[in-house]
């Protein structure tokens, strides 16, 4: 990898910002705040629950086509792609590419009343900011680059892929971006991935918080609380497994957490239950810690079930058994401090008079980061609040500078990509 000191990142950004097409792209962003807000309100009116993103994918696909992107396509899981081809490369070239993505799903179930309300530069709606801001920020960048003819006039030495992906939130478990990186032919070409998620222009998530989630289920023969007394009890075994697990020592660094999230089981107070189940969430910045916790979970459940069976007074009616199902798996990783992506972001900030705080989080960037691909998740400008609640809001004040930040960073990474 060539040396990429800050000074060269800064001169790259300064040179980019001096190009006429880049001025034209900035002018497009400056001239179209109402259009961007209108897209955001329209998007917010379309439900986007996990595994129910189809209508949003269709909407975005039409917007990518309107924007003038090439090869607009929707893949098998519902991810929508649009390409801005490189200036002087044939379309069949297989060289490096940069990805700019935003997740289209929300946390809200399909039946949630959406009713977006626009009041000046403010939008009130579930999903207005997360990820309405990211999706329309990406669309705005697409329009600005196409309208400014950046591709034809300026150096666009590597292609840029716009991606509206599914499955970022909760049980979606990053399935959209995961699917992208399972497509070897394309994934092998990605050298940088910028994720737009929510609002703001002063933070970037560069440390991918890993998580693993499990459902544990213990079953047994059940029975009458009095006449079958002595039959092994699934709730007793599960409860003692969870009690043991809760005692697991967790390191402060790398920060690692464990949550016993839900517990269910049994049918009535006077029945020996036939089943009990619990869901558990482990998080850490270290993959190794997640693995250790998985081992601790298996050991706790195995021991508790074995003890429940061994100590049961009646074994003839049947014994306890268990299953452990992984219901979520997000890898932990981090963007190295000397990554060209981070140095470029610092350079862009310096140019625009901004300052970025680096954050830890679980975002679509987890997947490329875990594969060693420079990636981060950043806001698309403006301000927002009430994320994941029905009172969610977004304010487009200062959206423009946030989008300039994204645009310059994206172009800087495209230049860098072409040198790889
Ligand atoms: Zn989000």
């Amino acid at each position: 990898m060539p040396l990429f000191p800050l000074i060269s990142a800064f001169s790259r950004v300064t040179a980019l910002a001096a190009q006429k097409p880049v001025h034209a792209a900035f002018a497009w962003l400056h001239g179209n705040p109402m259009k961007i807000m209108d897209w955001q309100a329209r998007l917010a009116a379309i439900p986007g629950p996990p595994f129910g993103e189809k209508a949003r994918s269709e909407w975005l696909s039409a917007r990518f086509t309107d924007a003038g992107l090439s090869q607009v396509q929707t893949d098998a899981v519902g991810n929508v792609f649009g390409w801005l081809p490189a200036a002087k490369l044939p379309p069949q070239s297989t060289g490096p590419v940069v990805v700019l993505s935003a997740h289209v799903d929300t946390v809200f179930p399909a039946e949630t009343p959406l009713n977006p309300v626009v009041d000046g530069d403010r939008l009130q709606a579930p999903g207005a900011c997360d990820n309405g801001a990211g999706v329309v920020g990406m669309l705005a960048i697409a329009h600005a680059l196409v309208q400014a003819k950046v591709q034809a006039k300026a150096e666009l030495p590597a292609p840029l892929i716009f991606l509206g992906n599914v499955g970022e939130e909760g049980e979606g478990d990053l399935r959209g971006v995961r699917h992208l990186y399972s497509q070897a032919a394309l994934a092998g070409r990605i050298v940088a991935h910028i994720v737009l998620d929510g609002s703001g222009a002063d933070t970037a998530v560069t440390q991918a918080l890993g998580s693993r989630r499990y459902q544990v289920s213990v079953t047994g023969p059940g029975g009458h609380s009095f006449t079958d007394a002595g039959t092994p009890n699934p709730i007793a075994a599960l409860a003692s497994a969870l009690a043991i697990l809760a005692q697991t020592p967790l390191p402060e660094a790398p920060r690692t957490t464990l949550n016993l999230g839900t517990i269910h089981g049994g049918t009535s107070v006077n029945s020996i239950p036939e089943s009990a189940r619990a869901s558990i969430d482990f998080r850490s910045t270290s993959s190794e810690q997640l693995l250790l916790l998985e081992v601790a979970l298996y050991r706790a459940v195995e021991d508790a079930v074995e003890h429940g069976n061994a100590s049961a007074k009646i074994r003839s009616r049947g014994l306890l058994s268990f299953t452990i199902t992984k219901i979520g798996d997000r890898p932990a990783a981090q963007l190295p401090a000397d990554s060209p992506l981070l140095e470029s972001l610092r350079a862009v900030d310096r140019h625009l008079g901004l300052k970025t705080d680096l954050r830890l989080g679980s975002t679509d960037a987890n997947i490329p980061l875990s594969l060693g691909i420079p990636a981060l998740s950043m806001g698309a400008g403006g301000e927002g609040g009430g994320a994941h609640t029905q009172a969610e809001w977004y304010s487009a004040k200062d959206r423009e500078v946030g989008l300039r930040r994204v645009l310059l960073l994206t172009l800087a990474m495209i230049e860098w990509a072409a040198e790889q």
Side-chain angles (χ1 to χ4, degrees):
M1 193 180 280
L3 278 178
F4 196 80
L6 184 59
I7 185 68
S8 93
F10 187 64
S11 45
R12 186 195 296 274
V13 168
T14 311
L16 267 172
Q19 290 182 9
K20 275 204 178 117
V22 176
H23 286 176
F26 280 2
W28 191 94
L29 295 176
H30 183 69
N32 290 280
M34 304 292 280
K35 180 176 262 181
I36 302 171
M37 184 53 103
D38 184 54
W39 288 331
Q40 200 163 348
R42 283 169 198 273
L43 178 69
I46 307 172
F51 300 96
E53 301 100 335
K54 192 161 183 284
R56 283 185 160 220
S57 295
E58 283 168 0
W59 180 87
L60 185 61
S61 172
R63 298 291 79 70
F64 275 178
T65 304
D66 292 348
L69 297 180
S70 308
Q71 294 169 263
V72 175
Q73 269 175 343
T74 303
D75 72 10
V77 299
N79 292 325
V80 184
F81 294 83
W83 288 65
L84 191 63
K88 290 168 194 139
L89 291 176
Q92 65 273 21
S93 100
T94 55
V97 297
V98 171
V99 174
L100 181 66
S101 73
H103 71 85
V104 299
D105 57 313
T106 71
V107 295
F108 302 98
E111 61 277 12
T112 308
L114 297 172
N115 311 323
V117 177
V118 179
D119 179 7
D121 59 6
R122 200 180 152 95
L123 172 65
Q124 181 99 34
C129 181
D130 181 13
N131 191 20
V135 173
V136 304
M138 172 175 69
L139 260 183
I141 300 286
H143 274 264
L145 291 178
V146 172
Q147 293 298 316
K149 301 197 166 52
V150 165
Q151 185 224 347
K153 291 187 196 156
E155 289 293 309
L156 193 71
L160 172 60
I161 298 176
F162 291 87
L163 164 67
N165 62 278
V166 297
E168 192 270 343
E169 300 285 4
E171 63 263 46
D173 202 31
L174 311 183
R175 70 191 177 100
V177 169
R178 217 182 278 274
H179 184 78
L180 165 67
Y181 284 94
S182 72
Q183 309 294 302
L186 182 54
R189 298 176 59 189
I190 301 170
V191 295
H193 186 154
I194 298 163
V195 174
L196 298 186
D197 201 340
S199 61
D202 56 359
T203 61
V205 178
T206 54
Q207 260 197 303
L209 178 63
S211 69
R212 289 193 185 189
R213 292 166 181 180
Y214 304 85
Q215 172 126 312
V216 180
S217 156
V218 181
T219 55
H224 189 279
S225 63
F226 186 71
T227 52
D228 299 319
T231 300
N233 186 314
I235 290 184
L238 180 63
S240 71
L242 297 180
I244 293 165
L245 190 64
Q247 304 299 317
T248 311
L250 301 171
E252 286 291 333
R255 182 164 158 76
T256 303
T257 63
L258 174 167
N259 185 50
L260 310 177
T262 65
I263 183 162
H264 294 93
T267 49
S268 74
V269 68
N270 57 344
S271 304
I272 299 166
E274 289 178 83
S275 70
R277 62 183 201 280
S279 62
I280 296 156
D281 163 272
F282 299 143
R283 295 181 183 227
S284 181
T285 52
S286 145
S287 302
E288 197 192 344
Q289 289 298 324
L290 293 173
L291 200 64
L292 289 173
L293 279 171
E294 181 174 278
V295 172
L297 170 66
Y298 271 86
R299 187 177 301 148
V301 176
E302 251 167 45
D303 286 356
V305 166
E306 216 167 89
H307 180 259
N309 284 333
S311 60
K313 293 203 175 70
I314 300 177
R315 280 193 282 273
S316 57
R317 298 187 62 259
L319 294 174
L320 301 175
S321 61
F322 71 90
T323 56
I324 297 177
T325 311
K326 197 185 280 180
I327 54 172
D329 186 359
R330 300 181 173 211
Q334 76 179 63
L335 185 67
D338 61 352
S339 165
L341 180 55
L342 199 49
E343 290 181 344
S344 298
L345 179 60
R346 298 286 193 215
V348 168
D349 279 353
R350 201 171 134 199
H351 181 78
L352 295 175
L354 299 171
K355 191 180 173 305
T356 296
D357 279 336
L358 302 183
R359 295 277 166 85
L360 169 69
S362 180
T363 71
D364 280 327
N366 280 40
I367 303 292
L369 281 172
S370 73
L371 298 168
I373 296 167
L376 55 75
S377 176
M378 66 200 290
E383 232 187 299
H388 296 195
T389 74
Q390 292 203 41
E392 189 171 344
W393 59 273
Y394 175 80
S395 161
K397 191 174 166 299
D398 296 333
R399 165 149 42 202
E400 192 180 334
V401 68
L403 291 181
R404 286 183 176 206
R405 174 174 174 249
V406 175
L407 192 140
L408 279 178
L409 178 62
T410 304
L411 291 178
M413 291 316 290
I414 291 172
E415 278 202 355
W416 174 80
E419 294 159 8
Q420 301 311 296

